[in-house]
Amino acid sequence: MLDKNGIAKRIAKEVKDGYYVNLGIGIPTLVANYVRDDIEVEFQSENGILGMGPFPFEGEEDADLINAGKQTITALPGASFFDSAMSFGMIRGQHVDLTILGAMEVAENGDIANWKIPGKMVKGMGGAMDLVASAENIIVAMMHTNRAGESKLLKRCSLPLTGVGCVTKIVTELAVIEVTNKGFKLLERAPGVTVEQIRNATEGTLIVEGDIPEMQLN
Amino acid sequence: MIKKTVSNVQEAVEGVHDGMTFMLGGFGLSGIPENAISELVKLNLKELTCISNNAGVDDFGLGLLLHKKQIKKMVSSYVGENAEFERQMLSGELDVELTPQGTLAAKCQAAQQGFPAVYTPAGFGTEVAEGKETREFDGKMYVLEEAYKADFAFVKAWKGDEAGNLIFKGTARNFNPLMCGAATITVAEVEELVKPGELDPNHIHIPGIFVQRIFQGKDYEKRIEQRTVRER
């Protein structure tokens, strides 16, 4: 079973040379730490920077330089700043190659819910609805089950949707799963995790074909 | 040159009154019009509708207006950092219209540029699209989103000149340029107000035609919401 850093490490392998990547808040942010250093990748943060760098050194924080999680960041050589319309123009216009974000629920048809729990939690969707409506390559990073132990990979989402039929891949602490038109297709198991464990933690249709390999993290 | 300068924030907000709709620039606490917000708090205006990506934090930014219950309706994309906001919203005291961030930007820009509405794929199939016209283009579904209408836009820039030309800095740019000219009156506050000719015309982000009033701001706190650093 993986921890959050393990999930990020596995997703980092999906990041290819020459990609522009948008990382959501939470586990997705950690992906930047594990991208191979022999490839060229630029991170976009939807509040208005392309070429986002690591956190600044202490004493060098700048209130005018933050990421979408409102954290202080740096700009790498070759970076650019832009307004929110241009930023979402990059996203809507499908110029961003890969979007990695968290979710509360994903359905077997690719629907995603991650912005609202009616009557309890309403933080807003931020840029998530724009991202999932336009991106062609969307990886969800999340835990397989919620705190109550209930599956987050469902037949149908129970929470208000963020987007419909948009998720292409899911990486959890248990598995790598592809969303197909027939349901969740199991691609890889986390180290030490059995197919049975994954099946038990998945409410939606789980397609298992042949031997399922264990994830290679390095 | 058409001069847009006013001498202070009091003069800049002249004409505001209860029940108006305001646009306010900023993302989180970055690039918010701190001087204008302070003045609106002082004036104790009520029943306001505020269009702004976020709602500040409990004791800063738009949180100051929320704290005094000056806001009737908030139009935002993300409001997660503000406990008082969440309390007022869940109790029904505050009307909230949550809009996808890119759509919010597009609705401001549409108002600025004279488009009555724009089609966006964001929110299709979700409750955001309920009651709105949808249409298919090339096999994909889109939602028709109308341009915002506002009485005042309050924006913050890094540098500006007496003609109202503006330059923004870093990610403090965000929604600020899109709100210029998107309301009846646009008020820009700047960290550094300079004489015409001192800004290179090649570097202007927003031409002065979109700005009605500009003033030299003061006492900027520029608070950092999440201070994250790495080891040397």
Side-chain angles (χ1 to χ4, degrees):
Chain A
M1 197 179 296
L2 303 176
D3 60 7
K4 287 182 177 179
N5 281 293
I7 296 173
K9 213 168 173 182
R10 174 60 190 83
I11 293 176
K13 294 181 69 177
E14 306 286 322
V15 179
K16 304 287 191 295
D17 192 27
Y19 268 16
Y20 292 102
V21 183
N22 181 289
L23 300 177
I25 296 164
I27 302 174
T29 307
L30 301 172
V31 172
N33 301 335
Y34 300 105
V35 174
R36 278 163 46 188
D37 50 18
D38 61 337
I39 62 173
E40 294 298 330
V41 171
E42 282 195 31
F43 291 106
Q44 194 249 22
S45 198
E46 64 269 24
N47 57 314
I49 176 173
L50 193 62
M52 174 170 51
F55 295 152
F57 291 121
E58 193 161 356
E60 292 176 6
E61 312 93 293
D62 181 353
D64 295 330
L65 189 42
I66 62 171
N67 64 15
K70 285 101 179 176
Q71 297 171 311
T72 46
I73 50 155
T74 52
L76 293 173
S80 56
F81 300 122
F82 34 84
D83 66 57
S84 303
M86 185 170 285
S87 182
F88 283 92
M90 290 174 195
I91 292 162
R92 207 181 296 111
Q94 300 184 332
H95 306 287
V96 175
D97 300 289
L98 175 62
T99 293
I100 304 167
L101 76 175
M104 296 172 188
E105 296 177 346
V106 178
E108 63 185 47
N109 65 349
D111 289 358
I112 177 172
N114 71 354
W115 72 285
K116 184 179 185 180
I117 303 172
K120 268 193 198 161
M121 188 285 290
V122 189
K123 291 184 186 301
M125 66 294 279
M129 280 195 184
D130 306 273
L131 282 158
V132 301
S134 296
E136 290 192 310
N137 195 1
I138 300 174
I139 301 179
V140 165
M142 67 175 189
M143 302 311 279
H144 216 98
T145 52
N146 64 21
R147 282 185 196 136
E150 296 157 344
S151 181
K152 292 168 73 173
L153 286 84
L154 308 172
K155 284 196 188 311
R156 285 279 170 272
C157 290
S158 63
L159 296 169
L161 295 182
T162 307
V164 293
C166 52
V167 176
T168 49
K169 207 174 251 185
I170 307 161
V171 179
T172 73
E173 78 282 19
L174 301 180
V176 179
I177 284 167
E178 188 187 347
V179 180
T180 70
N181 52 16
K182 290 184 181 130
F184 297 122
K185 185 176 176 190
L186 183 58
L187 298 183
E188 298 171 21
R189 299 173 289 114
V193 173
T194 65
V195 171
E196 231 18 66
Q197 276 175 287
I198 297 163
R199 204 188 292 278
N200 290 338
T202 308
E203 192 237 53
T205 309
L206 187 72
I207 302 162
V208 182
E209 286 173 359
D211 279 343
I212 305 299
E214 201 168 272
M215 287 180 205
Q216 301 297 313
L217 290 172
N218 293 306
Chain B
M1 186 204 66
I2 302 170
K3 238 179 147 169
K4 303 292 173 69
T5 42
V6 293
S7 47
N8 51 41
V9 68
Q10 289 78 18
E11 217 175 298
V13 304
E14 215 172 270
V16 294
H17 57 72
D18 291 354
M20 276 188 161
T21 297
F22 297 152
M23 287 178 168
L24 300 108
F27 176 87
L29 299 178
S30 190
I32 58 171
E34 292 184 24
N35 285 212
I37 292 172
S38 297
E39 190 59 22
L40 296 174
V41 172
K42 268 188 213 147
L43 292 172
N44 203 24
L45 298 177
K46 298 285 185 192
E47 299 280 303
L48 299 174
T49 295
C50 293
I51 301 166
S52 182
N53 188 60
N54 310 89
V57 294
D58 280 325
D59 61 344
F60 199 55
L62 285 178
L64 298 169
L65 288 166
L66 281 165
H67 188 72
K68 288 181 71 187
K69 307 206 165 132
Q70 293 177 252
I71 302 176
K72 175 188 67 174
K73 181 177 178 181
M74 207 50 234
V75 181
S76 301
S77 86
Y78 189 81
V79 294
E81 323 296 345
N82 192 318
E84 173 63 12
F85 183 101
E86 201 156 6
R87 191 198 63 73
Q88 288 186 25
M89 173 169 61
L90 292 173
S91 72
E93 290 164 61
L94 180 69
D95 185 11
V96 179
E97 184 178 309
L98 287 166
T99 303
Q101 194 176 337
T103 301
L104 199 145
K107 286 160 74 92
C108 291
Q109 196 177 44
Q112 175 192 62
Q113 302 185 355
F115 292 107
V118 290
Y119 279 106
T120 174
F124 178 77
T126 75
E127 62 183 52
V128 165
E130 279 170 20
K132 291 174 186 163
E133 190 181 322
T134 57
R135 184 167 159 183
E136 186 181 325
F137 294 92
D138 288 331
K140 190 174 162 98
M141 293 304 294
Y142 295 80
V143 184
L144 189 66
E145 293 279 3
E146 291 184 17
Y148 288 128
K149 289 184 178 66
D151 299 297
F152 277 81
F154 297 104
V155 305
K156 150 87 194 310
W158 178 34
K159 293 180 181 180
D161 66 15
E162 291 173 349
N165 296 308
L166 302 176
I167 296 176
F168 303 90
K169 181 164 168 265
T171 54
R173 191 185 313 188
N174 55 66
F175 290 85
N176 283 300
L178 309 170
M179 292 177 173
C180 293
T184 309
I185 293 174
T186 297
V187 175
E189 55 183 87
V190 295
E191 285 179 55
E192 197 182 338
L193 184 64
V194 302
K195 297 249 176 282
E198 287 186 33
L199 300 179
D200 181 343
N202 286 302
H203 295 166
I204 303 292
H205 293 136
I206 281 292
I209 192 169
F210 293 114
V211 174
Q212 278 67 48
R213 302 172 189 172
I214 186 169
F215 69 99
Q216 168 70 58
K218 57 180 187 184
D219 303 330
Y220 283 105
E221 181 179 335
K222 296 179 75 167
R223 195 187 291 188
I224 290 174
E225 215 166 321
Q226 306 277 349
R227 189 177 298 273
T228 44
V229 295
R230 76 187 134 130
E231 307 250 315
R232 273 183 202 272

